[in-house]
Amino acid sequence: MTTMVQTKVDDPTFWLDYLTADDQKKMDDTHAETLNEVRREVATRTQIFVGAGTCGFGAGAGKTIEAIKKFAADHQLEVDLVQVGCVGLCAEEPLVDIQMPGKNRLSFKKITADKVEPLLNSVLFGGLPLGLILGQYPSQHSKAWTNLPYIDEHPFFKRQKRMVLSNCGLIDPENLSEYLAYGGYRSFLQALKNLSPIEVCDKVIESGLRGRGGGGFKTGMKWKFAHNTPAEKKYMICNADEGDPGAFMDRAIIEGDPHRVLEGLATAAYAIGAQKAYIYIRAEYPLAIARLKKAIADAKEMGLFGENIFGSGYNLEVVIKRGAGAFVCGEETALIRSIEGRRGMPIPRPPFPTTSGLFQSPTVINNVETLATLPLIMGDSKFSKLGTEKSAGTKVFALSGNIARSGLVEVEIGTTIREVIFDIGGGIPDGHKFKAVQFGGPSGGCVPESFLDLSIDYETLQSAGAMMGSGGMVVMDERTCMVDLAKYFMQFIQMESCGKCIPCREGTRQMLDILDSLTHNRAQTPGTEALTRFKAVTRLDELAHVIQETSLCGLGKSAPNPVLSTLKWFRDEYEDHVFDRTCASGTCRDLIRLEIDSELCRNCGLCAKKCPTNAITGNKKEGYRIQLATCINCFHCQDICKFEAVVAG
Ligand SMILES: Cc1cc2nc3c(=O)[nH]c(=O)nc-3n(C[C@H](O)[C@H](O)[C@H](O)COP(=O)(O)O)c2cc1C
């Protein structure tokens, strides 16, 4: 059903005359009709778009697509069905947009397969299901729907600055012509034609772009180091290993707009003088890999990669390398080893990869979002004017956890945490109360409610004991135990530590043991060994600093962050676990003291009969009691009690 509009834009030479901003305007005017058709802004038949990123498929988009195909076949409808990437509003998926000839594109939410028939029946044959409408897309080329809101007025989109994500959810990621019609590959071709590699480095330095992979290192500077290192061969690597729990920005960018990442990668490779570029992508991202593969093949066929690109004399080969399945392989020196076919273990720096990296050659590694930002920087100076003095531009965040509107959010750097969580994310659902937000996954830190008005930028978050990280933002409400959260991240790090250096391997083990002792063993009643536990918490602090200072790589150096930030902001919760042996959120099940509510209990005695440790004593006449000293918190009594008489004390 999907058609590919064959136009002049598919001819590579077409682009060579249209490289500057003025040219672009000229071209937009001259070829408006063609471009609007390729951009699907003007269509002679109905276009149906389905949000088909991994998140969309997870919500049922696959079945929605099948139902649309069936509806079209049953009704002999001529429609174009376009699978687009993640639109961003993951909480409302599956998302379906419908654009009828001459009318604005309309977006509908939660269109599971069962809703397809009623939706299409009403939209195509009369009437609109108002409750399902997210909004209409503004367009100069079609008529607006009266009395319907615009999508950019929706609270989720209103405060965002979608620049890196501008194509995600809008265009067909598998159609190179569409990317080109939206100005794609122009900045790369412009660089090839009009700028020397060092001029490209300088332009990126001037833009103030900082790496989006977590460290925030100045991108142009890194390129310049590699550019200035004389060598026969150099390599460019895109880091798409994205292993942080709670992070899905890079996956969504690749799935929704793979050519943008490739364009950034090609520009970077040209700037540093590399003729081979790798994309190191986690194997658990099959859809992103498939879309990248197609994008590379299509770009190569068009002459955008390969030998003597557009007669410039520059050659570029782009290769995909699947990740080895370890979090540490995202660390740049481990990643390099993994590409070389060795075990992914970090090595000490210096030398930095820009001096001696892949196969001992100068190598630059950049994150997916960093690379996807480049077409904006090379082609448009607006991006650099956004942000704060020290951090230019926008940042994409993966917003998840206890939040009403989870999804992919792009905001200007410097936006406050409150704006992202409450204005864009819609706050905490079901009347619960905001407690904290964790930035940057296991290497990051959390900030409490009192910091909601902090600006999201590298320096400010660091001053609050957190970090911007690569973009994971997990929101928590009062039902989250912060000691348990610290334990979760420590468990993750302990499992993912490569074991090479002792502070990380052994230190994180010791920290985990301490956290384990705080959240387990309710049998240690208040007072018992409280001093030992208190000393252990003090030791957590000491261990954290030793691990930070002596670990070999970023994994170990940042491993204690979640513990340190929870200790800093939620010390009272640690104290509850240490002294009172309680967990206010009820998360640490071992610390729950079960008791039998005599009003609800019918004295049937089933709990006493089934208790594996005979911790329930009493009889049918006098009732039953749980003996805390022998109870092992297996919750068996609670599970079998028909009268819900076994309750947390
Ligand atoms: C344990 C560990 C895992 C990492 N994982 C990633 C990752 O998945 N993606 C990424 O871009 N950077 C990751 N990094 C950071 C990279 O080492 C590197 O700094 C980054 O790719 C540089 O890109 P940028 O300058 O564009 O930010 C990780 C670092 C550590 C210590």
Side-chain angles (χ1 to χ4, degrees):
M1 254 188 304
T2 307
T3 54
M4 160 111 169
V5 187
Q6 288 297 328
T7 63
K8 220 180 162 198
V9 295
D10 289 334
D11 171 5
T13 54
F14 178 79
W15 296 95
L16 288 176
D17 296 328
Y18 299 106
L19 296 179
T20 66
D22 280 351
D23 287 343
Q24 165 145 11
K25 191 174 170 339
K26 223 184 315 168
M27 182 181 76
D28 280 353
D29 294 343
T30 319
H31 301 280
E33 216 172 290
T34 310
L35 287 170
N36 291 336
E37 203 182 327
V38 182
R39 289 174 187 156
R40 297 177 192 276
E41 292 206 43
V42 174
T44 47
R45 58 186 189 172
T46 298
Q47 314 275 304
I48 302 179
F49 305 85
V50 181
T54 296
C55 45
F57 282 117
K63 287 185 180 156
T64 300
I65 290 168
E66 288 313 309
I68 294 171
K69 283 182 183 168
K70 185 173 179 313
F71 184 93
D74 290 351
H75 294 76
Q76 297 181 343
L77 278 179
E78 287 276 311
V79 297
D80 286 344
L81 176 58
V82 187
Q83 295 190 27
V84 296
C86 171
V87 182
L89 190 44
C90 305
E92 303 283 21
E93 282 180 311
L95 293 169
V96 171
D97 296 354
I98 301 176
Q99 184 181 346
M100 293 188 292
K103 297 291 278 180
N104 277 1
R105 177 169 167 171
L106 263 184
S107 191
F108 299 90
K109 61 184 177 182
K110 293 199 185 265
I111 308 300
T112 40
D114 56 312
K115 296 212 191 103
V116 165
E117 190 165 349
L119 172 77
L120 293 183
N121 263 329
S122 52
V123 178
L124 301 180
F125 305 124
L128 285 175
L130 294 179
L132 295 177
I133 294 176
L134 270 180
Q136 58 180 316
Y137 284 83
S139 171
Q140 296 170 344
H141 311 289
S142 49
K143 265 202 189 144
W145 295 86
T146 43
N147 297 328
L148 287 188
Y150 282 90
I151 192 111
D152 46 14
E153 290 166 357
H154 187 287
F156 182 77
F157 295 104
K158 201 172 172 181
R159 308 286 281 249
Q160 292 195 49
K161 288 248 168 359
R162 293 174 80 86
M163 300 185 85
V164 173
L165 299 179
S166 62
N167 288 340
C168 284
L170 194 73
I171 69 168
D172 177 355
E174 298 196 10
N175 186 334
L176 174 53
S177 301
E178 274 190 57
Y179 182 67
L180 289 168
Y182 277 99
Y185 284 109
R186 226 164 295 169
S187 73
F188 170 53
L189 294 177
Q190 187 183 11
L192 271 190
K193 201 176 173 202
N194 300 335
L195 300 175
S196 68
I198 197 69
E199 283 172 329
V200 178
C201 294
D202 286 336
K203 196 163 176 174
V204 176
I205 292 174
E206 240 172 71
S207 76
L209 177 65
R210 297 171 65 168
R212 303 302 198 228
F217 194 81
K218 287 187 177 143
T219 306
M221 292 301 295
K222 190 150 70 171
W223 292 10
K224 207 166 191 174
F225 293 146
H227 175 275
N228 289 344
T229 308
E232 213 174 285
K233 281 190 176 168
K234 296 182 185 180
Y235 295 99
M236 182 65 217
I237 300 174
C238 168
N239 188 347
D241 201 40
E242 197 168 53
D244 290 6
F248 49 88
M249 308 76 53
D250 296 348
R251 186 196 70 209
I253 293 172
I254 295 174
E255 287 176 357
D257 200 6
H259 285 290
R260 180 187 287 274
V261 181
L262 291 178
E263 182 174 0
L265 183 69
T267 309
Y270 171 69
I272 67 163
Q275 303 208 344
K276 188 159 184 177
Y278 287 87
I279 302 173
Y280 188 86
I281 180 165
R282 44 183 309 174
E284 296 88 342
Y285 282 178
L287 183 61
I289 294 173
R291 287 189 179 156
L292 264 180
K293 262 190 185 165
K294 177 156 189 345
I296 294 169
D298 289 350
K300 199 170 167 197
E301 198 183 329
M302 191 177 274
L304 287 157
F305 303 151
E307 304 271 305
N308 191 20
I309 299 167
F310 286 85
S312 63
Y314 177 61
N315 310 326
L316 179 65
E317 183 191 1
V318 180
V319 175
I320 293 179
K321 174 88 177 84
R322 279 163 209 252
F327 176 58
V328 77
C329 283
E331 193 280 336
E332 54 188 25
T333 61
L335 186 153
I336 286 172
R337 255 140 204 80
S338 179
I339 294 182
E340 288 172 344
R342 296 196 263 167
R343 184 170 168 186
M345 274 183 155
I347 54 161
R349 297 173 305 177
F352 288 95
T354 46
T355 312
S356 176
L358 189 61
F359 307 118
Q360 282 78 53
S361 302
T363 303
V364 165
I365 300 173
N366 275 132
N367 164 261
V368 169
E369 186 186 337
T370 313
L371 295 173
T373 302
L374 286 161
L376 294 167
I377 286 170
M378 300 302 297
D380 176 2
S381 58
K382 247 190 288 169
F383 181 84
S384 313
K385 297 209 174 85
L386 296 175
T388 62
E389 199 189 326
K390 290 191 176 158
S391 314
T394 61
K395 176 79 193 88
V396 178
F397 290 98
L399 190 58
S400 66
N402 305 129
I403 183 99
R405 292 190 283 262
S406 56
L408 202 63
V409 169
E410 183 176 357
V411 288
E412 181 171 0
I413 295 181
T415 303
T416 66
I417 303 174
R418 189 185 296 280
E419 282 173 296
V420 173
I421 294 176
F422 288 90
D423 298 343
I424 296 172
I428 318 298
D430 306 323
H432 290 287
K433 197 174 165 320
F434 174 85
K435 184 170 191 179
V437 54
Q438 174 81 15
F439 283 93
S443 8
C446 65
V447 292
E449 193 179 7
S450 51
F451 286 126
L452 274 176
D453 291 310
L454 276 195
S455 130
I456 304 177
D457 63 69
Y458 294 95
E459 290 75 24
T460 310
L461 285 179
Q462 220 157 9
S463 70
M467 64 190 283
M468 193 140 95
S470 60
M473 232 177 137
V474 182
V475 181
M476 290 160 281
D477 65 27
E478 80 282 1
R479 292 168 296 174
T480 308
C481 166
M482 303 311 279
V483 183
D484 182 66
L485 176 89
K487 189 176 83 173
Y488 165 78
F489 282 125
M490 196 47 72
Q491 245 161 1
F492 178 84
I493 288 290
Q494 171 42 221
M495 256 165 48
E496 295 292 341
S497 168
C498 76
K500 183 171 177 173
C501 73
I502 297 168
C504 177
R505 186 185 66 222
E506 299 300 327
T508 55
R509 172 84 259 161
Q510 288 188 33
M511 288 184 80
L512 181 59
D513 284 348
I514 294 171
L515 293 166
D516 235 12
S517 76
L518 300 184
T519 53
H520 282 131
N521 298 332
R522 197 256 326 127
Q524 298 166 355
T525 46
T528 318
E529 296 183 26
L531 189 62
T532 315
R533 287 190 297 272
F534 177 67
K535 279 188 187 157
V537 172
T538 318
R539 190 154 164 66
L540 268 184
D541 215 44
E542 286 167 13
L543 277 168
H545 288 106
V546 172
I547 296 168
Q548 274 182 334
E549 278 157 29
T550 57
S551 289
L552 176 62
C553 83
L555 186 140
K557 284 183 194 304
S558 59
N561 288 354
V563 173
L564 288 174
S565 67
T566 48
L567 261 174
K568 189 167 179 183
W569 305 122
F570 297 95
R571 203 169 186 98
D572 52 335
E573 278 194 39
Y574 278 87
E575 285 168 4
D576 289 347
H577 285 68
V578 167
F579 297 113
D580 301 343
R581 306 264 63 214
T582 55
C583 170
S585 68
T587 310
C588 301
R589 280 170 65 100
D590 237 18
L591 300 192
I592 294 173
R593 284 185 204 111
L594 289 177
E595 59 186 37
I596 295 172
D597 184 325
S598 55
E599 300 215 338
L600 296 173
C601 179
R602 298 280 191 281
N603 293 352
C604 71
L606 190 62
C607 56
K609 214 184 277 172
K610 298 281 180 184
C611 175
T613 58
N614 295 324
I616 301 178
T617 55
N619 54 53
K620 293 195 175 188
K621 212 162 156 202
E622 289 163 10
Y624 292 88
R625 288 187 55 142
I626 297 176
Q627 303 301 329
L628 289 177
T630 40
C631 169
I632 55 167
N633 272 39
C634 67
F635 290 80
H636 198 44
C637 50
Q638 195 177 51
D639 294 342
I640 56 164
C641 178
K642 290 184 206 132
F643 312 106
E644 298 185 355
V646 182
V647 294

